[in-house]
Amino acid sequence: MNVEDARATGTPVTVIVLAAGEGTRMRSAALPKTLHSFAGRSLLGHVVAATSELGATTTAVVVGHRREQVVQHLAAIVPEAVPVVQDQQLGTGHAVRVALEQLAARGPAVEGTVLVVPGDAPLLTAGTLADLLAEHRAQQAAATMLTSVVPDPTGYGRILRAGDDTVLGVVEHADASPEQREIREVSALVYAFDAALLRAAVTELSTDNAQGEEYLPEVLSIFLRQGRTVRALLAPATEIAGVNDRVQLAAAHRAYNDRLLDQHMRNGVTVIDPATTWVDADVVLAADAVLRPNVQLHGSTRIDADAVIGPDSTLTDTVVGAGSSLERTVARQSSIGAGATIGPFAYLRPGTVLADQVHIGTYVEIKGSDIGLGTKVPHLSYVGDASIGEHTNIGAATVFVNYDGVHKHRSTVGNHVRTGADNMFVAPVHVGDGAYTAAGTVVTNDVPPGALGVGRGRQRNVTGWVRRRRAGTEADLAAQAALAATGGTGAADSAGTEHEQHDPSGRSTTGSTEV
């Protein structure tokens, strides 16, 4: 059954997510277990993302430990979800009973089907949950549970079956006999219940067990004693895996990432090395995009067709246009047009907007700036809080000086501008269309269109300085040898004469660099 079929049934579905536990094995002083995350979502976020595709009438999330954090997070990711407070964590059955009671207090009693899922099972898929609901309805069961066969069942509730394979119930690991602990079919703690029958059964739960808690699986035993139908649906072991510590968190991330990459590759994306490629859940990849080794794509990043990312690149909330190439690049909250080339070793900070065919080269950092069509910032430069026009070339070692110690200021550079190497643009300044700036210039005033901006001191040579100040050094010996070879005597050096040297006619004063 697919998700669309599950929605089309018309039977009301209430989802209850169990997320009240402390998760002591996570060893975290800052977060409850369900707020630990991977692939851009918390564990709870992964679960509600799967259940949200089922068309439920109500989603209730049972919270307890550090409830304020969980409720705040829930409001951010699923504002329509209903938080249900379990003041004391007295077991899964108690959590469901509290949820049903608090939902009834808000309005009519829950009817139809109740789907119960744990908040720490991030690998569950909407398709498997839809299949569970379909099986439950088709069999007209009082309860239908998700089970799986796992290599190591330690910690899971074991499924008890009769000789004819009929479900007899679930026994928790702590209460299981040595023989029962050998059973490898386990409960995923994912159930579909008839709502009316569930409401009655949770009032009969006991605490006569090893943990002294109200176990939800006891509801199955109650139904079986009443002669009602209890069914089980087998699911892949990879989907039911819970997360209880950091080792399991890493394993779940790897499994989820493998699943995502498999889907992307089957949709036409080339992933050169899946083992070193990590993609968040909300990343969008177009067919014919290429991901090279050691690529990480986070948040709402989107990569268009024929773009090549990597190697060694990390993008967060960044859009990359068709046919662009990024090598050894870090980009955050940036927009890159089509046919752009970025890197290696480029850093695009938030607010960077690059038009089509822009080139950003080696060791270039850009922040809060927009750069026009075909413009190049080839190397060793910082562009902060600037607008640069089309088909402009920014010389090497250029710095846009945007901060006066208190406020940020913005500069603009027009179209078809050529700036010299080692320029500083002290904001706010404007460089007009078609202008040039000389190498080594500190631009503190606007440069009109078509003008050459020169803002540097004239060079002067102090002759004989090395002979007087560094006599006997290797530099001095080399200088004397060079003077002798050219017929110079060095006699004038002792006078310390200073000569101003101007740029001779025809020499380039701009010193612009271009790739």
Side-chain angles (χ1 to χ4, degrees), residues 161-174:
R161 292 182 181 270
D164 62 356
D165 228 22
T166 303
V167 174
L168 297 178
V170 179
V171 59
E172 295 298 319
H173 178 87

Side-chain angles (χ1 to χ4, degrees), residues 19-393:
E22 181 177 1
T24 55
R25 282 183 280 173
M26 298 299 289
R27 306 293 184 190
S28 176
L31 291 175
K33 178 171 69 172
T34 57
L35 295 195
H36 287 266
S37 63
F38 63 76
R41 292 176 182 167
S42 65
L43 299 181
L44 178 59
H46 283 290
V47 173
V48 296
T51 62
S52 66
E53 297 186 42
L54 303 175
T57 56
T58 303
T59 296
V61 179
V62 182
V63 299
H65 183 69
R66 292 177 180 165
R67 71 187 66 163
E68 295 83 4
Q69 284 180 273
V70 180
V71 170
Q72 183 178 15
H73 176 68
L74 189 65
I77 62 172
V78 192
E80 66 273 16
V82 178
V84 170
V85 176
Q86 185 187 23
D87 286 317
Q88 293 180 288
Q89 284 72 66
L90 301 178
T92 53
H94 178 260
V96 171
R97 176 159 62 85
V98 167
L100 293 173
E101 290 171 353
Q102 291 191 27
L103 288 175
R106 290 170 172 263
V110 174
E111 300 292 345
T113 300
V114 175
L115 177 66
V116 179
V117 296
D120 62 355
L123 300 179
L124 284 170
T125 65
T128 294
L129 296 176
D131 290 341
L132 177 69
L133 294 174
E135 175 72 9
H136 178 72
R137 290 161 180 156
Q139 299 298 327
Q140 297 183 329
T144 306
M145 62 179 154
L146 209 59
T147 71
S148 190
V149 177
V150 298
D152 181 8
T154 303
Y156 287 97
R158 308 307 202 276
I159 305 301
L160 305 181
R161 292 182 181 270
D164 62 356
D165 228 22
T166 303
V167 174
L168 297 178
V170 179
V171 59
E172 295 298 319
H173 178 87
D175 299 306
S177 67
E179 293 78 14
Q180 290 170 334
R181 291 187 180 185
E182 295 299 317
I183 298 172
R184 293 174 53 232
E185 185 183 8
V186 300
S187 168
L189 199 62
V190 178
Y191 302 92
F193 293 107
D194 177 278
L197 298 177
L198 177 63
R199 285 200 307 273
V202 291
T203 64
E204 302 178 28
L205 297 178
S206 72
T207 57
D208 185 17
N209 52 62
Q211 301 296 324
E213 296 180 346
E214 297 178 25
Y215 288 157
L216 185 60
E218 188 184 346
V219 169
L220 307 181
S221 299
I222 293 171
F223 288 165
L224 291 168
R225 288 198 301 270
Q226 295 172 345
R228 303 186 186 278
T229 301
V230 173
R231 304 290 295 180
L233 179 68
L234 203 63
T238 53
E239 286 199 31
I240 74 158
V243 173
N244 294 298
D245 57 31
R246 309 291 179 123
V247 174
Q248 292 176 342
L249 182 69
H253 190 182
R254 167 57 71 187
Y256 187 85
N257 191 68
D258 289 346
R259 179 196 297 172
L260 275 182
L261 291 180
D262 183 75
Q263 292 172 354
H264 286 304
M265 287 188 285
R266 294 184 187 281
N267 289 333
V269 176
T270 295
V271 181
I272 303 299
D273 184 15
T276 63
T277 303
W278 295 87
V279 176
D280 279 3
D282 294 326
V283 168
V284 176
L285 302 175
D288 294 318
V290 177
L291 307 184
R292 297 194 181 279
N294 295 312
V295 164
Q296 299 183 42
L297 305 179
H298 300 300
S300 59
T301 293
R302 189 187 82 225
I303 310 299
D304 288 345
D306 300 310
V308 179
I309 311 300
D312 308 318
S313 296
T314 300
L315 312 184
T316 303
D317 299 326
T318 292
V319 176
V320 179
S324 289
S325 175
L326 282 70
E327 180 182 358
R328 292 182 171 86
T329 295
V330 174
R332 297 186 176 92
Q333 298 171 35
S334 298
S335 176
I336 300 165
T341 56
I342 315 296
F345 308 112
Y347 183 21
L348 309 183
R349 292 169 57 190
T352 296
V353 179
L354 308 181
D356 295 349
Q357 302 171 30
V358 164
H359 171 64
I360 304 299
T362 307
Y363 300 116
V364 173
E365 178 179 343
I366 301 177
K367 186 271 295 184
S369 299
D370 53 279
I371 297 179
L373 174 70
T375 285
K376 300 175 181 180
V377 187
H379 28 222
L380 302 166
S381 297
Y382 171 69
V383 180
D385 298 303
S387 294
I388 302 177
E390 298 181 355
H391 303 292
T392 285
N393 188 84

